[in-house]
Amino acid sequence: MNRISLTAATALVAMVALAGVASPAQAASVGFYGTYGIGDASGDAADYWDGGGWGWDSDTTHTGAGLALETPTGFYRFSYRLAVGWERIDGEGENGRADGTLEGLVIDNDFTYDLFASPTTRFWVGPELRLGFLNGSIEDSPRGDRSFAAVGIGPVLGFDFALGPSVALSWKLGYLYTWYYADEDSWDDDYDHHHGDNDYYDDYYDSEMEEGHAYLSLAVLFRLWGGPQAGPQPGAYQPQGRW
């Protein structure tokens, strides 16, 4: 959990720094978001009890919430959005496999391109890159929790609607394909802490999981400064005229 706390602090500092370097004309915004998604995951564990490995498949459900920052980059139609939040992943095992739960810090980076923008609305697309640091276990596992690092990528589609000069709603629909890699030492450390040193499971190290999930999120964004200075002119894209 120390690594998760350090990463969260670093991400928050990055959000403040990004907001600080944005010029008033760029109208940086910060706010809160909530998300829900569903997907499918498959994984495998090698060297189980000094023997052969085993695999599993599960249906997954994602719920989460956190902070969001959005700012134009100053390059034509491109913007950057950073989301830092806490996410819970519940997996329902298939074919008699046990259920499992992961939860922890996720950091999503969106590099967006405006398809349409005006002083009140914005429609955008782009790729999303995810980093995650999660902790969890399989139901009734004798080994306790295990730490995972996650890396994901996928497309996102968004729509922003201004409720007024200083606040907007932002919807985002996305699909992420994510790889999860287990920390080899976390399981042994957790088990030994509760049950004493035991080498019986020491070869149960290599555990990986892959997952694809679709999600929908809603954010409420508050403008820090700046704003539309002029409406967009026909035939010209003016980023200062968009929300």
Side-chain angles (χ1 to χ4, degrees):
M1 299 300 292
N2 290 335
R3 180 171 57 183
I4 292 178
S5 300
L6 177 61
T7 306
T10 303
L12 290 175
V13 170
M15 292 182 74
V16 174
L18 285 169
V21 300
S23 70
Q26 290 177 323
S29 302
V30 296
F32 307 92
Y33 78 90
T35 184
Y36 176 81
I38 56 174
D40 296 292
S42 61
D44 63 81
D47 299 327
Y48 180 59
W49 292 355
D50 293 321
W54 58 280
W56 69 89
D57 296 293
S58 63
D59 298 322
T60 56
T61 302
H62 291 243
T63 52
L67 301 174
L69 178 144
E70 191 274 338
T71 182
T73 64
F75 298 102
Y76 193 49
R77 298 174 180 260
F78 294 97
S79 297
Y80 172 71
R81 180 171 300 207
L82 172 67
V84 180
W86 195 263
E87 193 157 310
R88 177 186 174 99
I89 307 170
D90 292 303
E92 182 179 346
E94 299 178 358
N95 301 319
R97 294 295 190 187
D99 298 341
T101 300
L102 290 177
E103 58 182 337
L105 177 73
V106 292
I107 304 171
D108 294 329
N109 301 270
D110 298 346
F111 305 92
T112 70
Y113 177 83
D114 291 353
L115 297 177
F116 171 82
S118 76
T120 57
T121 59
R122 177 175 173 241
F123 186 55
W124 49 270
V125 296
E128 179 170 277
L129 301 177
R130 162 169 287 197
L131 295 176
F133 302 91
L134 304 104
N135 219 48
S137 66
I138 298 174
E139 189 176 72
D140 299 325
S141 169
R143 301 294 285 167
D145 288 351
R146 194 167 197 187
S147 298
F148 287 82
V151 179
I153 188 170
V156 291
L157 177 68
F159 177 74
D160 301 343
F161 179 76
L163 300 177
S166 302
V167 62
L169 297 179
S170 179
W171 288 268
K172 180 170 69 171
L173 179 66
Y175 180 86
L176 274 173
Y177 196 85
T178 308
W179 296 264
Y180 300 83
Y181 301 96
D183 182 345
E184 291 184 355
D185 298 324
S186 62
W187 214 343
D188 290 326
D189 291 344
D190 184 76
Y191 185 82
D192 293 343
H193 175 73
H194 292 92
H195 301 280
D197 192 12
N198 190 324
D199 294 331
Y200 186 59
Y201 296 89
D202 278 352
D203 286 332
Y204 193 5
Y205 280 157
D206 300 326
S207 182
E208 298 178 358
M209 183 173 72
E210 298 179 4
E211 181 206 23
H213 86 280
Y215 69 90
L216 178 66
S217 71
L218 173 63
V220 181
L221 299 176
F222 302 91
R223 177 164 286 146
L224 293 180
W225 49 66
Q229 299 174 2
Q233 300 300 314
Y237 181 77
Q238 298 182 350
Q240 73 271 19
R242 73 139 175 93
W243 158 255

